[in-house]
Amino acid sequence: MDELTKLTHAYHDQKLSHAYLFEGDDARSMKSVAINFAKTILCDSDETCELKVENLNHPDFMYVETNEITIKKEQVEALVRYMNRLPIESTHKVYIIDGFEKLTVQGENSILKFLEEPPNNTIAILISTKPEQILDTIHSRCQHVYFKPMDTKQVIEHFKSVEISPGVAEILGTYTTDQEIAIELNKEFDLAALRKETLNWCHLLIENRPMALIAIVELLKQAKNRKLQILVLTLMNTYFQDVMHMKADLKSAITLTSIQEHLEGVALKLSYQDLTTIHETLLEAHKKLNQNVNPTLVFEQIAIRIKG
């Protein structure tokens, strides 16, 4: 039984939760299920109503997303005001926040208050490809809906088929599953140079931490905005996950196959405790960047915390 079918059954059985957290790496599929679930709640198979939801102009429905690094405070405030109104055409109100991990801590706290005391017949659908970056108190107030993860290697192979170079496809395949986003990023930025600088920095973190601190300047020349800085952290996370896979003799799970021999050497130098610390450090760095902390400070903290 797929996710939409399960949610539809819950609706018809009058077992709706006031808040759902969709978790997975296929953002497009999660958005599609969220929109269709909203139609089920609001429309009772009425085609005119469903068209309004699909076009994001139903008076009892609000969809929040952003192409920026963070969802703005003003978007959250507008959502809270909007959803505090009574339903106009339906028995319920539904709001979707796509890319929930892009909320600032202040934004999350605003939504948390809303989840703790939701208006009657108001349903929240929160979508996230990075649920580990969301406050635990948000998690505890939502019903979780888990989407089957996409095979990253298949995503990478697909990106290669649309004329993205293999090395760049590896970066983009760990960052997004959306072909349009991948192609746009590839056209807009020199991702091959970014990949080279990032992998070099990972090497310096292990071999020569003082040089890694100095090399932050060059790294941030390539990662010159928040989007690219998040891309760097995503690639770093994949790099050290692959080191973990090598250490556990799970070579078939490696994503960065083009540097497999190098990863094998790094795996001999790091303990499982080292890799756990690195994972936690990178998670914290993601949160700091999303909170608009100065990127130089964020990367300096990575270099200081990671064993050199």
Side-chain angles (χ1 to χ4, degrees):
M1 189 183 299
D2 65 22
E3 290 80 6
L4 182 58
T5 302
K6 293 175 185 176
L7 292 165
T8 301
H9 284 176
Y11 168 75
H12 289 301
D13 291 341
Q14 298 184 344
K15 294 180 179 178
L16 276 178
S17 172
H18 75 284
Y20 296 88
L21 177 56
F22 286 14
E23 301 180 28
D25 57 11
D26 188 350
R28 184 169 290 186
S29 291
M30 290 192 290
K31 176 182 177 180
S32 176
V33 171
I35 294 286
N36 283 308
F37 187 37
K39 289 179 186 177
T40 299
I41 296 168
L42 296 173
C43 298
D44 196 23
S45 300
D46 181 279
E47 290 185 5
T48 302
C49 172
E50 289 180 350
L51 192 59
K52 287 181 181 179
V53 173
E54 200 166 305
N55 291 328
L56 311 183
N57 62 8
H58 191 291
D60 301 320
F61 175 68
M62 193 166 185
Y63 176 80
V64 177
E65 68 170 344
T66 184
N67 291 323
E68 304 297 325
I69 294 298
T70 57
I71 294 173
K72 305 300 182 188
K73 176 184 176 184
E74 292 76 16
Q75 290 176 277
V76 176
E77 291 174 345
L79 170 65
V80 171
R81 286 196 302 271
Y82 196 78
M83 283 299 154
N84 270 317
R85 301 172 183 174
L86 292 172
I88 296 173
E89 293 185 2
S90 303
T91 58
H92 289 76
K93 304 183 300 269
V94 177
Y95 65 94
I96 297 172
I97 303 179
D98 199 346
F100 190 80
E101 71 279 353
K102 292 183 177 181
L103 281 170
T104 62
V105 173
Q106 292 86 352
E108 283 192 77
N109 283 325
S110 295
I111 296 299
L112 178 59
K113 293 175 186 176
F114 207 35
L115 295 178
E116 288 173 335
E117 298 179 6
N120 291 334
N121 295 342
T122 300
I123 310 298
I125 304 174
L126 316 177
I127 301 174
S128 180
T129 57
K130 298 179 177 67
E132 69 276 3
Q133 295 180 25
I134 296 173
L135 292 173
D136 290 341
T137 43
I138 296 285
H139 280 274
S140 67
R141 284 163 176 78
C142 295
Q143 179 176 323
H144 292 244
V145 181
Y146 300 99
F147 286 72
K148 184 179 178 181
M150 294 184 70
D151 188 306
T152 303
K153 290 185 178 180
Q154 288 182 4
V155 175
I156 291 170
E157 289 304 314
H158 175 66
F159 288 166
K160 289 180 186 177
S161 74
V162 293
E163 299 184 354
I164 295 175
S165 67
V168 171
E170 286 181 348
I171 306 177
L172 291 170
T174 63
Y175 178 75
T176 182
T177 59
D178 191 310
Q179 176 182 312
E180 291 179 12
I181 293 174
I183 291 173
E184 182 182 338
L185 286 169
N186 189 43
K187 287 180 178 178
E188 189 175 357
F189 303 111
D190 185 354
L191 297 183
L194 182 71
R195 176 183 185 273
K196 181 179 179 181
E197 198 65 47
T198 302
L199 293 178
N200 179 60
W201 200 62
C202 289
H203 174 70
L204 289 175
L205 285 172
I206 305 308
E207 298 291 344
N208 192 335
R209 185 163 55 182
M211 281 302 300
L213 283 163
I214 295 169
I216 290 171
V217 174
E218 292 303 316
L219 180 65
L220 293 180
K221 282 182 182 178
Q222 292 294 333
K224 54 193 174 185
N225 59 41
R226 285 277 193 265
K227 187 179 292 185
L228 293 178
Q229 290 150 16
I230 293 292
L231 195 54
V232 166
L233 291 181
T234 303
L235 178 56
M236 289 180 66
N237 195 54
T238 302
Y239 176 95
F240 287 109
Q241 279 183 347
D242 279 354
V243 172
M244 179 75 86
H245 291 144
M246 289 297 302
K247 196 165 187 65
D249 200 24
L250 297 171
K251 295 181 181 180
S252 62
I254 290 171
T255 300
L256 303 176
T257 55
S258 59
I259 59 168
Q260 182 169 321
E261 188 174 336
H262 165 75
L263 295 169
E264 195 166 359
V266 176
L268 296 173
K269 298 177 181 179
L270 296 176
S271 67
Y272 286 113
Q273 183 57 53
D274 292 334
L275 291 166
T276 299
T277 299
I278 290 169
H279 175 70
E280 292 170 350
T281 300
L282 294 177
L283 281 181
E284 184 64 24
H286 270 282
K287 292 177 183 177
K288 294 294 185 184
L289 281 182
N290 285 332
Q291 293 165 14
N292 292 319
V293 174
N294 183 290
T296 300
L297 295 177
V298 172
F299 284 93
E300 283 177 352
Q301 283 300 306
I302 293 173
I304 290 167
R305 285 197 63 192
I306 289 179
K307 177 182 177 181

